[in-house]
Amino acid sequence: MEPLNSIEKLKIHNQSHISDCRIISLTKHHHANGNLTAVNNGVELPFDIQRTFYIYDVPGGAERGGHSHYTCHEFIIAISGSFDVIVDDGTNQFTYTLNRPYQGLLVVPGIWRTLKNFSSGSVCLAIASHHFDENDYIRDYDTFLQYKHSVKKEV
């Protein structure tokens, strides 16, 4: 991924809102011997899948996430158990409780996300539009707020 310049970063962060995040229901194929749900590249999601990872064995009371991306979209699913995803656009926050393996939360770039309240044995699957790149992350909330509230004539 080519590095974004500061104007491009500001545009992404100033244009994204928590209303851009949404639950997407996936097709659940019911079978007598178990259900099946598929996610196909570029079909159910508004991006092509470049990376998947999962989070599990989260200790009680621990939080995950706590960051924002400049360009990466994520689709977050509770494959097993449940957890909350708090999305924050620097002005507004909303909490989604994920607890169905056939539904996930689309989180767009420029949104701070925090995952917490993991139930025992929960598994979180994240499907991402980009490969891992540390330069795509904002990991400090104050820096995130600076981007969100920057008003530049160039933007």
Side-chain angles (χ1 to χ4, degrees):
M1 165 180 5
E2 285 194 35
L4 297 174
N5 65 43
S6 59
I7 299 301
E8 292 168 323
K9 289 177 182 179
L10 283 170
K11 284 181 182 179
I12 290 169
H13 278 77
N14 286 326
Q15 293 173 0
S16 59
H17 302 282
I18 61 170
S19 61
D20 299 323
C21 300
R22 67 183 186 279
I23 294 290
I24 296 175
S25 292
L26 304 169
T27 302
K28 180 170 87 170
H29 301 279
H30 178 70
H31 298 276
N33 57 350
N35 297 324
L36 181 142
T37 297
V39 180
N40 297 288
N41 202 31
V43 176
E44 289 85 5
L45 304 178
F47 59 83
D48 285 334
I49 300 165
Q50 296 297 315
R51 179 175 182 240
T52 60
F53 60 94
Y54 49 98
I55 301 167
Y56 56 97
D57 292 341
V58 178
E63 294 183 0
R64 297 296 310 234
H67 63 268
S68 176
H69 289 282
Y70 291 114
T71 60
C72 187
H73 290 74
E74 287 184 339
F75 185 60
I76 302 170
I77 305 168
I79 294 298
S80 179
S82 66
F83 52 87
D84 293 334
V85 181
I86 299 93
V87 292
D88 179 340
D89 64 14
T91 302
N92 302 295
Q93 293 184 353
F94 189 81
T95 301
Y96 290 91
T97 298
L98 300 181
N99 57 12
R100 293 179 175 87
Y102 55 88
Q103 289 183 335
L105 175 64
L106 175 67
V107 181
V108 300
I111 298 295
W112 189 268
R113 85 287 321 270
T114 304
L115 288 69
K116 64 183 193 177
N117 299 326
F118 287 85
S119 68
S120 179
S122 61
V123 178
C124 168
L125 173 66
I127 300 172
S129 64
H130 290 74
H131 294 282
F132 176 80
D133 179 357
E134 185 61 36
N135 293 322
D136 190 52
Y137 285 76
I138 296 178
R139 296 191 185 270
D140 177 72
Y141 189 73
D142 289 334
T143 302
F144 166 76
L145 289 176
Q146 288 173 0
Y147 273 102
K148 291 304 284 190
H149 299 299
S150 292
V151 179
K152 298 261 185 184
K153 290 182 180 174
E154 300 96 336
V155 179

